[in-house]
Amino acid sequence: MAIGSKELASSELDTFEDERLVDELKKAKEELFNLRFQSATGQLESHGRLRAVKRDIARIYTVIRERELGIRPTPVPAEATPAKAEKKTAAKSRAKKAAPEATEAEADTTAASNEENAEAK
C-alpha cells in the first residue's frame, strides 16, 4: 500500500468489527466531502490526500463486501464473547432464583383467596 492512511491498512481492517468499519467509512466519506469542498474553494493544500481518502473508502467497501461473500472472515471479539456468555448465565440464574419466590407468593395469595371464598359460601 503505497498511498493511503497508515491506520487503514488492509491488515488493520481485518481486525475491525462490522460496526467499526461502518464508522470508519462514514469518517472517510466526511473527510472526502471536506477535501472536495476545499478543492472547489481553492483552499486545498494536499491534492494527494483526495486520492488517499478515495482509496481508503474503496478498501473499506472491499472488506465489507468480502465479508458478505464469506471470502474474508469476520473477527469475533475475544473479550466480548465470554462477557456476553457470563451475562446470559447470570441473568438466567437470577430468573431461576426469582421464579420460586414468585411461585411461593402466588401460592400464598391463592390460598388466602380460597379461604375467603370458603368463608363466603
Side-chain angles (χ1 to χ4, degrees):
M1 183 185 91
I3 297 175
S5 300
K6 291 181 180 178
E7 67 240 11
L8 292 181
S10 59
S11 59
E12 291 283 327
L13 292 175
D14 286 342
T15 61
F16 291 172
E17 295 177 23
D18 291 337
E19 294 172 6
R20 175 114 187 256
L21 278 176
V22 172
D23 290 340
E24 291 294 328
L25 180 63
K26 193 177 290 185
K27 282 190 232 177
K29 284 187 171 187
E30 287 176 11
E31 184 178 359
L32 181 62
F33 174 80
N34 291 332
L35 290 171
R36 284 182 175 158
F37 194 84
Q38 289 175 4
S39 178
T41 58
Q43 298 175 350
L44 185 62
E45 295 176 8
S46 175
H47 294 284
R49 186 70 187 141
L50 272 169
R51 186 176 184 185
V53 173
K54 286 180 183 179
R55 287 186 179 197
D56 287 342
I57 291 171
R59 195 174 294 117
I60 293 169
Y61 273 130
T62 301
V63 170
I64 291 171
R65 183 64 179 149
E66 286 178 349
R67 286 184 182 176
E68 287 175 0
L69 296 174
I71 298 170
R72 191 180 296 233
T74 304
V76 177
E79 297 173 5
T81 305
K84 287 181 183 177
E86 290 174 11
K87 287 181 183 178
K88 288 181 182 178
T89 306
K92 285 182 181 178
S93 63
R94 275 188 250 128
K96 286 180 181 178
K97 289 179 183 177
E101 293 172 3
T103 307
E104 290 173 9
E106 290 173 2
D108 292 340
T109 307
T110 306
S113 44
N114 285 343
E115 290 174 8
E116 291 174 5
N117 289 338
E119 289 176 7
K121 289 180 183 179

